[in-house]
Amino acid sequence: LARHASVRSVDIHGTTKTGARLDCLFTADIVQIEGRSLVLAITQDVTEARRNERALLASEAEVRVQVQSRTRELAAEVESHRRDAQALRESEARFRNMAEHAPVMMWITDPSGALTYLNRSWSEFTGQATEEALGFGAWSALGSPSKLRPTVLSGEQRSPAK
């Protein structure tokens, strides 16, 4: 204090009579009053503020660990979805290859009966372009769509093959 004429915000740690931790900030200045040098000192109890700071830091550390853990989980999930999507693309490619090269007409309809997929044999057999046949185009070309819409039969309605 004598060398610098002031001390600012020095942390002081101690304990109370009951043994509780005490954190203080100490500030002091040398002041001149009526020609005399006096020490003006202020001690501020910051125990609760420091306790809150420590709790906040611990909380931040915990959140950081949780975020890192969840980030790893999400990265693993994304990788799993990427592998699943790749496997699905490969499976679809195998199906399309098989369907396109099958020596029979193959098609897929949605629940309303609209054609959503036709293989190459369909076009070769009917002479109808795929773009023209998709939707209800194939059924329309064959006659009245209401009479030709495909019907899904349950197992009991089908007659056994002989």
Side-chain angles (χ1 to χ4, degrees), residues 21-162:
R21 179 184 172 127
L22 183 64
D23 294 316
C24 295
L25 277 182
F26 177 76
T27 300
D29 288 300
I30 297 178
V31 295
Q32 298 292 323
I33 298 178
E34 297 178 3
R36 295 177 43 196
S37 293
L38 301 171
V39 175
L40 175 63
I42 300 171
T43 303
Q44 180 182 4
D45 182 356
V46 292
T47 305
E48 188 173 338
R50 294 296 160 83
R51 187 179 309 121
N52 291 340
E53 286 174 3
R54 286 188 298 273
L56 181 60
L57 289 172
S59 218
E60 287 175 351
E62 184 179 329
V63 167
R64 194 172 295 112
V65 167
Q66 290 174 352
V67 166
Q68 290 169 347
S69 173
R70 186 63 180 136
T71 300
R72 284 189 297 274
E73 289 172 9
L74 289 173
E77 253 183 75
V78 166
E79 180 58 23
S80 174
H81 286 296
R82 188 197 62 73
R83 283 192 308 268
D84 291 348
Q86 180 62 31
L88 180 59
R89 283 190 295 276
E90 291 170 4
S91 176
E92 288 173 345
R94 285 190 302 274
F95 168 78
R96 291 218 183 264
N97 184 50
M98 183 251 345
E100 285 302 312
H101 294 89
V104 295
M105 290 190 334
M106 294 177 74
W107 64 91
I108 298 174
T109 65
D110 67 15
S112 72
L115 293 166
T116 59
Y117 170 78
L118 305 164
N119 72 343
R120 185 171 42 191
S121 291
W122 172 282
S123 295
E124 290 170 359
F125 183 80
T126 65
Q128 194 175 29
T130 301
E131 297 77 26
E132 183 184 335
L134 289 174
F136 290 101
W139 310 136
S140 298
L142 297 172
S144 169
S146 60
K147 292 180 183 174
L148 295 173
R149 265 200 193 137
T151 308
V152 176
L153 300 176
S154 69
E156 296 82 38
Q157 294 171 312
R158 294 183 191 133
S159 58
K162 296 185 183 187

